[in-house]
Amino acid sequence: MAKQQNTGVQTLEKIVSLAKRRGFVFQSSEIYGGLNGCWDYGPLGVAMLRNLKEAWWREMTNRNDIEGLDASILMHPKVWEASGHIQNFSDPMVDCKSCKARFRLDHLFGDMNEKKLQTIAKHLTVDHREHTKESLSEYILAQIEANEALFTQLVELELVNCPNCGTKQSLTSPRNFNLMFETYIGPVKDAASAVYLRPETAQGIFVNVLNVMQATRQKLPFGIAQIGKAFRNEINTKNFLFRTREFEQMEMQYFVKEGTDETFYEQWRERRINWWSALGMPKEKLRLKPHEKLAHYAKAAVDIEFEFPFGFGEIEGIHNRTNFDLSRHEEYSGKSLSIHDEDTKEKKVPFVIETSAGASRGFMAFLCNAYREEEVNGEVRTVMNLHPFLAPVKAAILPLVNKDGMQEIAEKLDLDLRRSVKTFYDDSGAVGRRYRRQDEIGTPYCITIDSDTLQDQSVTIRERDSMAQIRLPIEKVKTYLLENIECPVG
Ligand code: GAP
């Protein structure tokens, strides 16, 4: 089996096209030309996304020290003052006065070729030989942050031109743009009724910490897990589901005593990378990238990155958020969020270790990880080798022909399996074509009912990746499937 060679861009295009054709993901409002940064999950996509979230939910809540929560998307506006989002959740951006395109400042340098970055470095009298392309662009950004006039200088010297239309001296100086979507509660649209669509689910957990503790009698250390939508008015949406304006997060906040935070941070970092790999991501496609520049709330932070077709990109962040959030909510709400420590008899605001994964971005990562093109008997076979627990359909029921009673046996088996697993019944076309249709959507097992079944009540089970076939008595099929599609985590 030889693998076909595609570039990263081609692979991503093929995945996006398959996702649409087979009903994983559609562009939002497509018949109106689409809405940038928003996507809809089709019949197979929603099934796979639910499986992914279920694997996370089991991992987090099938233990005694983590509770579940589902907080509202709209929250009291003071939440976002306390969290720092109103003040800090913004990206510096520049506009092109000529073509009106808008760019994030970090992307402007991040996407620049190495030669241009080196010319700028020379202007800044930096020895570029000591830097990688990445560290050069980070260095330049840090210089601009320290001295805003520097960017205007680079534009005037024509060292930074519009990357869209190429016009010289056309970029404005950087301005901050808040990423939160604003809307209004009630009939009056004024500052007093303004609320925000949450840009992260975490704050719903922080403001409920006492409610959860009182309701569950949990003591430190303990966690709260939540899955839900988050919204960010991203300036540049890109790469399919990677950076979108509406997406889903899977976040868990683990509340610990100060002094134990570093140990729990390390533990969660290990647990989380193991979770991604247990669901089928090979270790060489995952890496941990510590943050060089920490967010306003963090003492330590690391990204789990996956190798997408366009390169490594973050799929989850693990953060030591200290007691920043709870202390701020104490300050802004006037309610104590300190917790009594039975050992020291003191009341203290707990520290928080956060694991913040993207469900939508994780979904895309799993699609990319699974996509394969293989040559089989001179033909290209497209196969998604999704972990069976993530696969949207677990088994396809394929009567070889619609006669001699095969159909009846197949329908009976389908009805029986459906109570436990998602199946797909397909009786049209050559069986080889039917296998290929299932391979393409990642169905781990195809069950064929043939003329031998009529004699010995056994069926053929074909496994997706190896294409190996075994015979099994019909009554053993359900147990076989359930054993093989089991959730590997939680
Ligand atoms: N509570 C911390 C927090 O929200 P983050 O690193 O901004 O941290 C966590 O986001 C995760 O959410 C990311 O690792 C990514 O998987 C996902 N995410 C963030 N912004 C996203 C976007 N615009 N589109 C899709 N997923 C996004």
Side-chain angles (χ1 to χ4, degrees), residues 207-246:
V207 300
N208 273 300
V209 66
L210 288 189
N211 286 337
V212 172
M213 277 191 91
Q214 279 155 11
T216 60
R217 303 166 64 89
Q218 287 282 1
K219 294 197 170 54
L220 298 182
F222 81 100
I224 304 180
Q226 172 169 225
I227 299 176
K229 289 255 174 152
F231 303 82
R232 296 182 189 178
N233 198 358
E234 300 281 4
I235 296 144
N236 297 318
T237 58
K238 66 173 179 184
N239 288 332
F240 192 34
L241 306 172
F242 186 80
R243 182 170 293 109
T244 55
R245 298 201 163 108
E246 176 176 339

Side-chain angles (χ1 to χ4, degrees), residues 89 199-202 232 234 241-249 251 253 291 297 303-304 314-317 319 321 354 356-362:
F89 196 56
E200 61 171 12
T201 54
R232 296 182 189 178
E234 300 281 4
L241 306 172
F242 186 80
R243 182 170 293 109
T244 55
R245 298 201 163 108
E246 176 176 339
F247 55 96
E248 238 174 330
Q249 288 187 315
E251 292 200 298
Q253 265 65 37
H291 286 202
Y297 51 73
D303 289 340
I304 298 178
E314 173 192 346
I315 48 176
E316 173 161 1
H319 312 123
R321 292 182 79 127
E354 167 182 76
S356 176
S360 333
R361 200 180 278 182

Side-chain angles (χ1 to χ4, degrees), residues 48-64:
M48 179 176 151
L49 183 64
R50 284 174 68 120
N51 296 340
L52 172 61
K53 291 188 284 186
E54 178 63 20
W56 185 89
W57 192 250
R58 288 190 192 190
E59 168 81 354
M60 289 299 174
T61 64
N62 279 3
R63 39 190 282 168
N64 291 328

Side-chain angles (χ1 to χ4, degrees), residues 244-290:
T244 55
R245 298 201 163 108
E246 176 176 339
F247 55 96
E248 238 174 330
Q249 288 187 315
M250 308 184 288
E251 292 200 298
M252 194 281 299
Q253 265 65 37
Y254 203 69
F255 300 91
V256 303
K257 282 186 202 170
E258 180 175 358
T260 62
D261 51 307
E262 285 173 23
T263 309
F264 283 112
Y265 174 73
E266 310 261 314
Q267 274 179 17
W268 279 109
R269 207 177 47 183
E270 289 316 302
R271 271 198 85 100
R272 291 307 304 144
I273 199 156
N274 290 341
W275 181 85
W276 291 100
S277 72
L279 283 165
M281 285 184 180
K283 286 256 167 61
E284 63 275 13
K285 281 195 165 191
L286 289 169
R287 72 177 188 197
L288 287 168
K289 191 169 177 220

Side-chain angles (χ1 to χ4, degrees), residues 16 25-28 35 37-41 240-241 244 246:
V16 175
V25 180
F26 307 125
Q27 206 185 359
S28 162
L35 182 66
C38 300
W39 297 86
D40 298 343
Y41 290 83
F240 192 34
L241 306 172
T244 55
E246 176 176 339

